[in-house]
Amino acid sequence: MAQWTSTVGAAQLARQLRTQQDRPTGPGSRKQPAYRALADGVRLLVLEGRVPVAARLPAERELALALSVSRTTVAAAYEALRAEGFLESRRGAGSWTAVPAGNPLPARGLEPLPPESLGSMIDLGCASLPAPEPWLTRAVQGALEELPPYAHTHGDYPAGLPALRQMIAARYTERGIATMPEQIMVTTGAMGAIDAICHLFAGRGERIAVESPSYANILQLMREAGARLVPVAMEEGLGGWDMNRWRQVLRDAAPRLAYVVADFHNPTGALADEQQRRALVDAARSAGTVLVVDETMHELHLDADVDMPRRVCAFDPAGSTVLTVGSASKAFWAGMRIGWVRAAPDVIRSLVAARAYADMGTPVLEQLAINWLMRTGGWEEAVEIRRGQARENRDDLVRALRRELPDWEFEVPRGGLTLWVRTGGLSGSRLAVAGERVGVRVPSGPRFGVDGAFEGYVRLPFTVGGPVADEAALRLAAAAALVGSGASAGAEAPRTFVA
């Protein structure tokens, strides 16, 4: 019986490997033999999670043709990977990826580190901050006081608690976008909302247009749902959407869905202007594409003079083209898994009906807590605390990076939680591996792209400040030095630090 659970095609693997070629490795470093470079490239893809463990690799002849190298080179690379524990083979079954005994399985998304690891590792993988107390405690206490009437019911509310649906609808209406409770479905976080939308609108094999780069966990969710991702390049820096590219993709590829983050885009931090928003809605409507707009960062404007444009759904108030996704996870706390979808009532009914085969509904107590916050004004005060935390962390991190890594390039966003950094020609994948060795966890750029794009980038969230931000920059500089010396691909155990 074969030990592999998925396959990687020769053309796909070749595209991913090419993004790692011709990267500077520092003065005085020697050029690796071709087989060694190939083995290191495959190992990095496995360690990054971009090639899954237990994935069957192409036959030697197929990969040699795709890479335009000799079969001997591929055979030698496969043999080196087997010797290091990153490949297993059996006659008749082929070769499949593995990890050596004792190595942790690579994460394919951006999961937070377990609490027991936080003492020795600075975690820059997860863009989430601690809860804005005392508002979490107050919200839970308020929810407990309001719980008894609901405890006498079955507790299943597939569309969400009526009170919370009404509250969310009222908040849109107050901002000039008339909304009925029937246009709202409460979900288990934004991920739950987008998962439900993808399953309803984009079956296996359907095209979904996505920003390039885009949020890594959503890209992985869509891949695992069987979608065919169509990347649309963002403008450089904080320029946001390139509308000429969007019009062309929507016209030529006719994707069933398009997914965008218009407010302080994750990972670049760009804020789409009002003209871009109107134009994208018009283009999606003309192409018959459903536009999914992720608003999880909407309230995280960090500078006082930011002039927020109208929401994207303001240009499609009925919700027939634009499906808006909101969440409490970024603006309030990631542990409060409450999200929502705003759409036309018939779309909401279809989402609710399909939900019966998924998670049935969202926890009542957490819905009551968010409703209490929004009703009492605690939401606004908690979000202001969150903005202050993120602003201070952003400024501390920017200062530390400019001091320790002056060759790294970035533009400072006016809001959101992430910094998109060009790493001076160094491989983001190798930096991620080296970072694990020196005590800092950082996601590489290719996690946010399609088929290995953005090898020369990393994403840094505003989750640490003060002395921890200084230490994080020092460790990133140490990781960069390892990559520059060509030492990042070693298999040594991570060093231990006390944060």
Side-chain angles (χ1 to χ4, degrees), residues 126-150:
C126 188
S128 299
L129 287 163
E133 289 287 28
W135 291 105
L136 174 62
T137 299
R138 292 180 183 176
V140 172
Q141 290 171 341
L144 287 171
E145 292 174 2
E146 297 175 5
L147 181 62
Y150 295 93

Side-chain angles (χ1 to χ4, degrees), residues 320-493:
S320 57
T321 296
V322 177
L323 276 59
T324 302
V325 173
S327 172
S329 297
K330 299 298 185 185
F332 184 69
W333 184 48
M336 191 66 75
R337 304 304 304 164
I338 298 294
W340 55 86
V341 181
R342 181 198 180 275
D346 62 317
V347 173
I348 294 297
R349 286 193 293 270
S350 297
L351 287 169
V352 171
R355 190 177 193 179
Y357 306 101
D359 64 355
M360 297 294 290
T362 303
V364 170
L365 188 63
E366 294 183 20
Q367 292 186 72
L368 288 172
I370 294 299
N371 187 61
W372 183 93
L373 281 168
M374 291 180 173
R375 189 183 73 248
T376 62
W379 177 268
E380 282 71 23
E381 296 198 35
V383 171
E384 190 56 43
I385 293 173
R386 170 67 73 244
R387 292 191 192 111
Q389 291 173 323
R391 185 185 308 113
E392 291 179 8
N393 288 352
R394 177 196 64 181
D395 296 346
D396 289 347
L397 184 62
V398 165
R399 281 193 295 268
L401 288 173
R402 285 176 172 163
R403 182 179 64 248
E404 303 297 336
L405 291 155
D407 293 337
W408 287 19
E409 302 171 38
F410 53 85
E411 291 189 39
V412 182
R414 310 292 304 280
L417 288 171
T418 57
L419 197 66
W420 186 235
V421 181
R422 192 194 301 267
T423 56
L426 299 178
S427 162
S429 297
R430 284 177 161 79
L431 281 166
V433 173
E436 295 280 347
R437 296 176 60 194
V438 299
V440 60
R441 181 173 182 256
V442 56
S444 69
R447 288 183 178 271
F448 303 87
V450 177
D451 282 338
F454 307 109
E455 185 63 57
Y457 290 82
V458 293
R459 189 199 74 171
L460 304 178
F462 311 145
T463 52
V464 296
V468 181
D470 292 336
E471 179 65 20
L474 284 169
R475 297 186 190 187
L476 287 170
L482 283 176
V483 174
S485 69
S488 65
E492 301 171 17

